[in-house]
Amino acid sequence: MQQAFRASIFHCLADPGEKAAPSAVEFLEDGVLVVDDGVVARIGSAEKILPTLAVEVAVEDLTGSLILPGFIDCHVHFSQLDIIASYGEQLLDWLNRYAYPEEARFSDKEHAAEVAEVFVDELLRNGTTTALVFATVFPQSVDAIFEAAAARNMRLVAGKVLMDINCPDELSDDPASAYNDSKALIERWHGKGRLGYAITPRFALTSSEDQLAAAGRLAAEYPDTWVHTHLAENTAEVEEIAAQFSWSRSYLDVYDHFGLLRERSIFAHCLHLDAADRALMAEKGGAGAFCPTSNLFLGSGLFDLKSMSDAGVGVGLATDVGGGTSLSMLRTMSEAYKVLHLQDQSLPASRALYLATLGAAQALGLDHCIGNLEVGKEADFIVLNVDGSSATARRAAATSSIDELLFALIFLGDDRNISATYLQGQCASTFNR
Ligand code: GUN
Ligand code: ZN
């Protein structure tokens, strides 16, 4: 079935870079997006496309709003929804004091299912159409997040957390159960509809060498699954890793040693790396998740986007809720700008959007099907509306270019500015209209 949507349309075709290359984006002031069976069939100016549409194709008139590709959150913990903004600690104390006790509640499938439903709806309300998600150590929590995503036809990648040392007993698995449970979950969920599986060792600190080896075996047996973990987030963590794996050259070397650095490996944070790490990550095809709100909130450090990009490492933007403080990718983009500004790096609006859409899709190896609105891609998109708040309406009225408007919306916008979120051309939710 064909559908058409008329609005201003903006999407990235490539990385606009620090200088906001205009050729890397497409902006249609009065555009039409034609969707056929959930896939983008055509995109172009209203003037060109409207006269060619068959009479039976209904055109949804969203004139005055802006269509963007759906946002992609490259690293987020659904089990931490209820501990966002927990006061006063850096990573290792924050995990012990807040994250671990909260995650213990997810042994209860009913609780996990209730949170998963709310979490997925919150993603959609914020315009996020795809996410790479940490569940918890409990397989039933993985079922819960996949069931919630499947019910909404959302493209989502998730996995069971592996952790067998240096953690509370009630959250601990072991190398054999980590392997067997992950394998069963891969067989049950990976490639089912729009779902994908990520092998998810929490971080090297909470996995024995036997467990990391088991995770590496899975990563080799199932090469099209993802590997999803944390890397070099906090200086105290990095010191403990160096002591625990005294044979290693670096934190990344630990993952590499166990076969966990490969295409489709996504490492959250990547704050305390050296040039050799970045070169190795680029060579092996791993990618980084840039989590600015979390890095600021937990006092972890500043992500060096320029060094990662110069080394050829793919980077996607991520909220890292609940270390991160918002599920909104608009909020996350604005904090990314500030983190880079502090390092004399610039982040034009088009590149911020790239990191949250096409760049994120490339980092996840999903750019063949999502990330922008090119013909043939899955029609996951959002409708952004400048009237979401009086602040955005006033500021928008004072802008004179699309770059200025996008930049202002990144800073002043939030979920109130997302009027609707579409998954494969179907309206998943309509808000604030
Ligand atoms: N490192 C290991 N576990 C976590 C977690 O839950 N959140 C963050 N931000 N870092 C981690
Ligand atoms: Zn995290």
Side-chain angles (χ1 to χ4, degrees):
M1 186 197 59
Q2 278 212 346
Q3 306 154 270
F5 303 87
R6 181 176 188 176
S8 297
I9 304 175
F10 181 95
H11 64 154
C12 293
L13 307 173
D15 182 358
E18 281 201 67
K19 299 217 162 67
S23 60
V25 305
E26 180 175 35
F27 175 55
L28 299 157
E29 181 134 34
D30 182 12
V32 172
L33 182 71
V34 183
V35 176
D36 204 344
D37 276 338
V39 170
V40 177
R42 293 177 71 195
I43 178 170
S45 69
E47 192 184 10
K48 216 166 85 186
I49 290 193
L50 286 180
T52 68
L53 288 179
V55 280
E56 66 272 17
V57 177
V59 180
E60 184 158 354
D61 190 359
L62 301 165
T63 305
S65 297
L66 182 61
I67 287 180
L68 297 177
F71 298 139
I72 299 169
D73 186 342
C74 283
H75 173 71
V76 60
H77 301 249
F78 95 87
S79 60
Q80 296 175 6
L81 189 65
D82 295 337
I83 57 156
I84 301 175
S86 292
Y87 183 76
E89 307 287 0
Q90 288 218 350
L91 176 66
L92 299 176
D93 293 324
W94 178 88
L95 287 171
N96 285 317
R97 184 155 169 206
Y98 301 114
Y100 293 159
E102 182 66 15
E103 289 182 27
R105 301 175 68 198
F106 287 71
S107 61
D108 174 6
K109 171 77 194 277
E110 247 179 70
H111 176 70
E114 191 266 329
V115 177
E117 294 278 316
V118 175
F119 173 82
V120 167
D121 283 340
E122 278 298 296
L123 289 182
L124 293 169
R125 223 164 51 74
N126 280 285
T128 297
T129 50
T130 286
L132 175 59
V133 181
F134 257 64
T136 71
V137 72
F138 307 110
Q140 57 269 37
S141 70
V142 184
D143 290 331
I145 189 68
F146 279 136
E147 283 162 9
R152 292 158 182 79
N153 187 36
M154 185 173 182
R155 186 170 276 289
L156 186 131
V157 181
K160 178 197 123 62
V161 174
L162 314 180
M163 50 201 291
D164 67 341
I165 56 170
N166 298 327
C167 64
D169 285 347
E170 65 271 26
L171 285 179
S172 180
D173 56 8
D174 59 60
S177 69
Y179 179 90
N180 292 329
D181 288 347
S182 299
K183 195 179 175 75
L185 288 163
I186 292 170
E187 298 289 346
R188 189 174 318 147
W189 293 110
H190 185 62
K192 183 170 177 185
R194 306 185 81 198
L195 306 176
Y197 194 84
I199 298 156
T200 309
R202 179 169 212 121
F203 61 159
L205 204 64
T206 49
S207 283
S208 63
E209 298 205 1
D210 281 352
Q211 182 169 78
L212 292 171
R217 278 201 302 283
L218 279 172
E221 282 169 41
Y222 296 95
D224 65 342
T225 58
W226 283 262
V227 173
H228 184 198
T229 189
H230 296 91
L231 170 67
E233 175 177 5
N234 171 284
T235 49
E237 169 208 12
V238 172
E239 278 168 27
E240 290 202 20
I241 293 288
Q244 186 170 318
F245 302 92
S246 53
W247 49 264
S248 66
R249 194 203 73 80
S250 69
Y251 196 156
L252 183 63
D253 181 39
V254 175
Y255 293 132
D256 186 39
H257 177 85
F258 290 104
L260 295 167
L261 170 56
R262 59 150 167 70
E263 300 277 337
R264 295 196 167 203
S265 292
I266 308 294
F267 300 96
H269 306 298
C270 301
L271 300 183
H272 309 288
L273 301 182
D274 62 15
D277 290 325
R278 287 188 285 267
L280 183 67
M281 203 184 285
E283 180 198 324
K284 297 280 184 90
F290 176 10
C291 310
T293 72
S294 169
N295 297 159
L296 295 171
F297 181 73
L298 293 176
S300 303
L302 303 177
F303 184 87
D304 183 351
L305 179 62
K306 181 168 175 11
S307 294
M308 292 289 269
S309 294
D310 287 354
V313 182
V315 173
L317 203 59
T319 64
D320 191 30
V321 155
T325 49
S326 171
L327 282 179
S328 166
M329 292 299 281
L330 293 171
R331 293 273 51 72
T332 307
M333 286 179 238
S334 66
E335 296 304 289
Y337 173 89
K338 296 175 195 170
V339 162
L340 296 173
H341 211 25
L342 277 170
Q343 302 173 90
D344 285 329
Q345 298 180 30
S346 49
L347 185 66
S350 58
R351 195 177 204 205
L353 285 165
Y354 167 78
L355 292 176
T357 56
L358 182 61
Q362 289 166 340
L364 296 179
L366 287 173
D367 51 306
H368 58 286
C369 56
I370 55 171
N372 64 13
L373 300 171
E374 284 181 314
V375 171
K377 299 241 183 145
E378 296 166 4
D380 287 356
F381 61 91
I382 64 178
V383 181
L384 218 86
N385 138 37
V386 298
D387 296 327
S389 71
S390 55
T392 51
R394 282 192 70 85
R395 182 65 184 91
T399 59
S400 53
S401 71
I402 182 65
D403 286 336
E404 237 186 280
L405 174 66
L406 289 172
F407 192 73
L409 285 175
I410 284 169
F411 274 80
L412 298 175
D414 53 36
D415 51 311
R416 291 169 297 175
N417 298 90
I418 313 290
S419 320
T421 300
Y422 286 79
L423 297 173
Q424 292 202 294
Q426 298 302 309
C427 188
S429 320
T430 312
F431 324 94
N432 310 316
R433 266 179 141 177

